[in-house]
């Protein structure tokens, strides 16, 4: 694009924020899967799973927040390119 100047530092910062959010989100998703399997084992053993379920619920909320943060950064990328 003629006359377009990309702020490389801003681009790098946004890219790092997006990557960090997605990486943490993926890590937490794996943790949710592991915790969910453990909940299944606890249920089969007749044990209380309330605390584990609350932990998974909190992890899922954090994943949702991180995914929203990544979408927000995507929007910022688009604004830079306009």
């Amino acid at each position: 694009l003629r006359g377009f100047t990309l702020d490389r530092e801003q681009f790098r910062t946004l890219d790092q924020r997006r990557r960090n959010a997605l990486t943490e989100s993926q890590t937490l998703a794996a943790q949710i899967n592991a915790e969910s399997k453990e909940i299944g084992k606890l249920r089969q053993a007749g044990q209380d799973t309330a605390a584990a379920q609350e932990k998974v619920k909190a992890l899922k909320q954090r994943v949702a927040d991180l995914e929203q943060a990544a979408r927000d950064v995507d929007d910022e990328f688009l604004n830079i390119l306009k």
Side-chain angles (χ1 to χ4, degrees), residues 1-2 13 24 41 45 54-55 60 71 79:
L1 294 167
R2 189 172 278 171
T13 300
E24 185 178 350
K41 290 178 185 176
E54 284 300 314
K55 182 177 180 180
K60 286 181 178 181
R71 284 191 297 274
N79 286 334

Side-chain angles (χ1 to χ4, degrees), residues 43-58:
R43 280 188 181 152
Q44 285 182 337
Q47 296 180 15
D48 182 30
T49 61
Q53 287 176 323
E54 284 300 314
K55 182 177 180 180
V56 168
K57 183 178 176 183

Side-chain angles (χ1 to χ4, degrees), residues 7 24 39 45 53 56 65 72:
D7 182 342
E24 185 178 350
I39 288 170
Q53 287 176 323
V56 168
D65 293 344
D72 291 345

Side-chain angles (χ1 to χ4, degrees), residues 20-69:
N20 289 345
L22 292 175
T23 299
E24 185 178 350
S25 174
Q26 291 169 351
T27 300
L28 291 175
Q31 187 176 350
I32 289 168
N33 288 339
E35 294 284 340
S36 295
K37 286 181 184 179
E38 187 61 29
I39 288 170
K41 290 178 185 176
L42 290 172
R43 280 188 181 152
Q44 285 182 337
Q47 296 180 15
D48 182 30
T49 61
Q53 287 176 323
E54 284 300 314
K55 182 177 180 180
V56 168
K57 183 178 176 183
L59 290 172
K60 286 181 178 181
Q61 182 58 53
R62 178 67 180 146
V63 167
D65 293 344
L66 289 165
E67 289 172 348
Q68 182 60 51

